[in-house]
Amino acid sequence: MTGIRLTAPAPGWSIDADVVVVGSGVAGLTTALRCAAAGLATVVVTKARLDDGSTRWAQGGVAAALGEGDTPEQHLDDTLVAGAGLCDETAVRTLVTEGPDAVRRLIGTGAHFDTADDGTIALGREGGHHRRRIAHAGGDATGAEISRALVEAVREAALHTVENALVLDLLTDAEGRTAGVTLHVMGEGQHDGVGAVNAPAVVLATGGMGQVFSATTNPPVATGDGVALALRAGAEVSDLEFVQFHPTVLFLGAGAEGQQPLVSEAVRGEGAHLVDAHGTRFMLGQHELAELAPRDIVAKAITRQMQLHGTEHMYLDARHFGATMWEQHFPTILAACRTHGIDPVTEPIPIAPAAHHASGGIRTDLQGRTTVPGLYACGEVACTGVHGANRLASNSLLEGLVFAERIAADIVADRPRSAAATVGDHPAPSPLLPPEARSTIQRIMTRGAGVVRSADSLARAAEELEDLHRSAFLKAGAAEPKDAVPGVEAWEVTNLLLVSRVLVAAARQREETRGCHWREDRPERDDEDWRRHLVVKLTPDRQLVLRRTDTEAFGPVQPSGAADCAATGTTHPTPEEP
């Protein structure tokens, strides 16, 4: 355990539970429902409203071998190819074999998927898939339907929920085992301000960290809070350099920042073409699947075309769909485009890649256990080994379903006992950054660690991020401290800085191009040296320690001590407190 925590007031209230689930997407709510059904006192904590996480923004669908002639083995093969040699095959096999039944149980919970004329689930196709195996709801509103069904089930089960709450740090007992979390509730209600949920099992399902970049498909709440909490608690994170940039995001202008409208891969799955300003298709001949190649390949191809033509976007042409198909199959995307002055029925859609999904995260085993006893992670915040260097389209919702059920089963089997959290001697809290540093971090990351990276761009990004980190310590140690006031915006930006530093450190270390990690100065894939995972820890003296695994296999997840991985790792020192 590091003992490092955010600067925050002491908890003024508390709740006791058997399990606290942080996050209300498909991973969090599925875990919570399964735990509650087994009789465990379960509390759900969510940063906004119950239905306001990343899941509801998912336009794609759920990938599973549900169609005639399809098999889990074929799904496994497509996943391994997309993962560019870094998927853990055991984890992928778990996903694809348990996935179909997990989808059926989701339907039993109340989710309604689109059906064909014969009443079977209508299956679409997306990038990297050789078969139609994507189940959709409402055309392009799958996430919203899944969220609706799970939220209704949670309310019907009368689970204890705490909305508008930002999780801060992990609580531990005298033996270093999980004892709950601290959190801050925004606004008035049953709870207000900083409090605690005391529980011997904590499940982090906090979603992604897309907000480290200027343009992303992620909602504003995706600030890497779960990964940052886990790092401060001493947990290992892995593969954070592999950030998937979705190839087709509606281009709103060079200065556009924040959440951008996604143009689902399913549009290409139904036959839309990627073209340049002259209407020329450029994916033909680049990959056997053309526009339906894995996302990293398509994003790179679009970026190359932008560089070649000196433009800031390419186009997605689906005019041949006609108005009826757009209205019936892609109503959400059609509305978003028209809101921004684009009519895809009559004109090509301007698109450019934007940060979309973190393939890496908190390192877990197949039961979702992290290296901190009692701490679990599920969904995008976790790194199970399923995605490798590049996530296969529509595997993320399935991952949330499958591993949520596994986590719940493990917690129910273990039935951990509550123990009092210790106060103990902790290092000085992490100094906070001012809220205005958020846009600075996003610009640094977009410029230095975006779709295209190099040793020089990453070195500049690392230096600029360390300057921000150092400045926070200097301000905190000044005779008259002028550090940021504790609050949601300051906590979020402090989390963003930590996960950005880890991402850049890993990206600098990985001197090759693989999956969605594109080093223009190291354009080739290097299996001999780099078919390995990078694992990162934050030590009690605030140093980032990186180690490389011996093989592409994910390896066992062992409870960690403070000195773990220091012997074989690379140390990235951080400034000592003044």
Side-chain angles (χ1 to χ4, degrees):
M1 307 302 296
T2 69
I4 302 171
R5 296 182 179 177
L6 288 170
T7 299
W13 52 270
S14 65
I15 303 169
D16 293 330
D18 296 321
V19 186
V20 55
V21 177
V22 186
S24 60
V26 63
L29 295 189
T30 301
T31 305
L33 286 167
R34 298 292 184 271
C35 287
L40 297 179
T42 306
V43 174
V44 176
V45 172
T46 185
K47 195 172 178 181
R49 299 186 308 276
L50 272 182
D51 62 352
D52 209 23
S54 294
T55 292
R56 78 179 182 96
W57 296 99
Q59 292 176 352
V62 183
L66 297 165
E68 184 178 353
D70 197 6
T71 63
E73 199 69 25
Q74 294 175 69
H75 189 182
L76 179 141
D77 289 344
D78 285 344
T79 301
L80 295 180
V81 169
L86 274 189
C87 294
D88 182 86
E89 187 168 337
T90 303
V92 178
R93 194 170 295 280
T94 299
L95 178 81
V96 300
T97 55
E98 297 182 10
D101 283 343
V103 173
R104 295 183 185 102
R105 283 188 288 273
L106 176 63
I107 293 171
T109 303
H112 301 291
F113 288 94
D114 298 340
T115 56
D117 293 338
D118 62 0
T120 60
I121 296 175
L123 299 172
R125 189 175 166 204
E126 294 180 3
H129 294 271
H130 282 78
R131 283 189 173 272
R132 286 183 169 269
R133 65 167 66 98
I134 317 299
H136 292 92
D140 57 3
T142 310
E145 169 59 17
I146 291 173
S147 180
R148 179 206 62 77
L150 290 174
V151 168
E152 284 189 9
V154 164
R155 288 176 174 154
E156 185 175 326
L159 266 66
H160 189 155
T161 61
V162 183
E163 297 180 285
N164 301 307
L166 171 66
V167 67
L168 299 176
D169 283 303
L170 190 72
L171 295 171
T172 55
D173 63 18
E175 297 178 352
R177 183 181 174 85
T178 293
V181 291
T182 56
L183 62 155
H184 174 80
V185 178
M186 300 163 263
E188 297 181 0
Q190 183 180 359
H191 306 290
D192 193 17
V194 175
V197 180
N198 303 313
V202 171
V203 182
L204 297 178
T206 51
M209 55 184 190
Q211 291 291 326
V212 301
F213 296 97
S214 297
T216 177
T217 62
N218 291 187
V221 295
T223 51
D225 306 317
V227 171
L229 176 151
L231 282 163
R232 287 192 297 272
E236 293 181 346
V237 303
S238 185
D239 300 353
L240 223 61
E241 68 271 31
F242 296 117
V243 176
Q244 185 178 84
F245 284 75
H246 198 288
T248 53
V249 176
L250 184 61
F251 180 73
L252 301 181
E257 296 184 345
Q259 186 178 8
Q260 312 288 299
L262 177 67
V263 182
S264 171
E265 193 132 7
V267 178
R268 279 176 282 138
E270 295 301 325
H273 302 146
L274 285 164
V275 299
D276 61 22
H278 304 292
T280 303
R281 291 178 67 182
F282 53 83
M283 285 304 301
L284 295 175
Q286 296 206 30
H287 191 277
E288 61 166 336
L289 297 177
E291 278 89 356
L292 286 178
R295 287 177 178 175
D296 63 310
I297 293 171
V298 180
K300 290 171 187 175
I302 292 171
T303 303
R304 287 192 190 101
Q305 290 295 315
M306 288 161 51
Q307 293 171 336
L308 179 65
H309 292 276
T311 61
E312 294 174 316
H313 62 84
M314 287 286 112
Y315 294 92
L316 185 66
D317 191 351
R319 289 175 290 179
H320 54 286
F321 284 7
T324 301
M325 183 171 176
W326 270 108
E327 290 164 0
Q328 291 181 354
H329 289 267
F330 305 110
T332 306
I333 299 169
L334 178 64
C337 288
R338 286 176 170 171
T339 296
H340 293 283
I342 304 295
D343 189 349
V345 176
T346 60
E347 59 188 318
I349 305 168
I351 53 88
H356 182 58
H357 188 276
S359 293
I362 307 165
R363 200 165 85 92
T364 74
D365 64 11
L366 295 184
Q367 281 69 46
R369 294 175 293 211
T370 74
T371 53
V372 175
L375 178 65
Y376 297 79
C378 192
E380 190 173 354
V381 72
C383 185
T384 60
V386 159
H387 303 309
N390 178 52
R391 176 178 67 93
L392 180 65
S394 289
N395 267 357
S396 54
L397 292 174
L398 189 71
E399 181 191 32
L401 284 173
V402 168
F403 287 92
E405 293 185 341
R406 288 181 146 258
I407 287 171
D410 193 72
I411 294 172
V412 170
D414 188 35
R415 296 269 176 174
R417 296 180 180 178
S418 297
T422 58
V423 178
D425 295 325
H426 294 292
S430 294
L432 303 177
L433 272 71
E436 56 267 25
R438 181 171 181 146
S439 59
T440 302
I441 293 170
Q442 291 171 335
R443 285 193 293 269
I444 291 170
M445 293 297 290
T446 299
R447 187 169 58 243
V451 179
V452 184
R453 305 165 179 177
S454 69
D456 289 343
S457 75
L458 290 166
R460 285 194 299 272
E463 183 178 355
E464 291 170 339
L465 293 172
E466 288 306 319
D467 284 345
L468 288 174
H469 186 65
R470 188 177 299 107
S471 175
F473 273 101
L474 291 174
K475 288 179 180 178
E480 296 182 6
K482 296 181 180 179
D483 51 330
V485 176
V488 172
E489 292 181 332
W491 289 320
E492 283 185 334
V493 74
T494 303
N495 286 339
L496 284 173
L497 178 61
L498 177 55
V499 296
S500 295
R501 290 173 56 233
V502 174
L503 191 162
V504 169
R508 293 182 74 187
Q509 186 98 337
R510 183 172 290 279
E511 296 182 331
E512 65 159 355
T513 289
R514 181 184 297 272
C516 48
H517 172 66
W518 183 10
R519 286 280 298 262
E520 61 180 347
D521 57 326
R522 301 278 184 166
E524 302 302 322
R525 175 169 149 175
D526 179 1
D527 280 349
E528 183 176 351
D529 290 330
W530 284 107
R531 196 175 176 188
R532 309 284 188 273
H533 299 276
L534 282 172
V535 180
V536 185
K537 280 191 64 176
L538 182 67
T539 66
D541 57 354
R542 304 177 192 273
Q543 296 186 46
L544 296 179
V545 178
L546 283 72
R547 68 174 173 88
R548 182 166 44 173
T549 60
D550 294 330
T551 70
E552 74 276 9
F554 213 46
V557 174
Q558 303 289 351
S560 59
D564 285 358
C565 80
T568 59
T570 301
T571 301
H572 287 245
T574 64
E576 292 296 326
E577 297 141 280

